[in-house]
Amino acid sequence: NAGVTQTPKFQVLKTGQSMTLQCAQDMNHNSMYWYRQDPGMGLRLIYYSASEGTTDKGEVPNGYNVSRLNKREFSLRLESAAPSQTSVYFCASSVGQPQHFGDGTRLSIL
Amino acid sequence: AQKITQTQPGMFVQEKEAVTLDCTYDTSDPSYGLFWYKQPSSGEMIFLIYQGSYDQQNATEGRYSLNFQKARKSANLVISASQLGDSAMYFCAMNKIKAAGNKLTFGGGTRVLVKP
């Protein structure tokens, strides 16, 4: 069972570069989410997609865009990376409760 | 808005003993869910246990139990018979129960270190 798969696992960017984080789930879940986790903190919601074809902002959406490509895939894009976006990014999916998380993408922006 | 507070930044527990991790929450929604996740040093988020606001009984999953006190707005996690593999960060989280898009709000976490 793959569950929620995130790529890449690690990435280093320079300030101003763009990047897309990929997420795919094979559990036929309707809802998908992107969170970020800063050192020593809990996760904060960036964007979510309640169902295919819809996306909505979470708590910290500034500097990000998302695309729900199909039911399986939900991507997160940084158009112009900033050092403040250095974080670990988690994708999750759910149908009802609970949410199932990918293993995360560790992103460093220099 | 929902808020989760975990007041214990870190704690030690002796192997084989029980440990209680505190979690208090604030919400105006009558229908909500409470969750605990474990994050080992490898970084993944592992779902442990879930309690719905209308559930009459406290949730249990193996060595994990959730002590749900609705009037006090607390949802403490109890880990019985601690094992070395229980050393990790533990996060309490909640969401508003809806048909879709159940966004989670997380607390700041508690780091647990199990001593042999």
Side-chain angles (χ1 to χ4, degrees):
Chain A
N1 283 343
V4 179
T5 303
Q6 293 184 233
T7 54
K9 296 191 184 306
F10 303 93
Q11 186 70 48
V12 178
L13 294 177
K14 294 181 179 178
T15 297
Q17 288 185 318
S18 61
M19 166 149 199
T20 299
L21 307 185
Q22 306 288 351
C23 175
Q25 52 92 8
D26 62 2
M27 296 174 283
N28 202 34
H29 287 171
N30 293 324
S31 302
M32 298 185 73
Y33 313 81
W34 276 105
Y35 295 87
R36 61 177 287 175
Q37 184 181 28
D38 297 323
M41 296 179 64
L43 281 66
R44 292 182 295 167
L45 183 67
I46 305 171
Y47 270 93
Y48 70 102
S49 171
S51 60
E52 187 178 357
T54 69
T55 60
D56 285 287
K57 295 179 180 179
E59 181 185 353
V60 287
N62 291 343
Y64 304 96
N65 286 300
V66 290
S67 295
R68 184 73 183 267
L69 305 170
N70 48 55
K71 191 171 186 178
R72 289 187 64 247
E73 298 172 289
F74 189 38
S75 62
L76 178 72
R77 182 162 178 84
L78 287 71
E79 290 291 351
S80 179
S84 61
Q85 295 177 305
T86 292
S87 191
V88 180
Y89 291 84
F90 286 96
C91 178
S93 70
S94 72
V95 56
Q97 316 290 2
Q99 290 183 20
H100 299 267
F101 285 82
D103 288 343
T105 294
R106 188 173 296 274
L107 183 61
S108 294
I109 299 160
L110 307 177
Chain B
Q2 300 175 328
K3 185 177 180 180
I4 293 281
T5 303
Q6 295 180 252
T7 57
Q8 305 155 307
M11 56 197 309
F12 290 98
V13 59
Q14 200 67 40
E15 191 179 12
K16 299 180 184 178
E17 292 185 349
V19 60
T20 298
L21 307 184
D22 295 339
C23 173
T24 58
Y25 61 91
D26 190 25
T27 182
S28 57
D29 296 306
S31 181
Y32 52 89
L34 295 155
F35 305 79
W36 280 92
Y37 283 86
K38 172 183 178 181
Q39 187 176 43
S41 58
S42 50
E44 68 269 30
M45 295 292 288
I46 301 168
F47 166 71
L48 295 179
I49 196 165
Y50 164 76
Q51 177 88 40
S53 58
Y54 290 115
D55 293 342
Q56 295 297 317
Q57 291 193 324
N58 287 343
T60 60
E61 289 286 349
R63 294 187 297 111
Y64 305 108
S65 60
L66 198 153
N67 184 2
F68 180 45
Q69 297 188 44
K70 195 170 184 177
R72 293 187 175 186
K73 293 189 174 180
S74 74
N76 298 340
L77 178 71
V78 179
I79 307 174
S80 62
S82 296
Q83 302 171 356
L84 296 179
D86 294 334
S87 294
M89 282 289 288
Y90 289 82
F91 291 97
C92 182
M94 73 178 302
N95 64 10
K96 180 166 61 175
I97 296 175
K98 297 169 38 177
N102 296 320
K103 303 171 288 181
L104 283 173
T105 299
F106 283 83
T110 296
R111 183 174 299 280
V112 173
L113 185 61
V114 180
K115 299 186 293 183

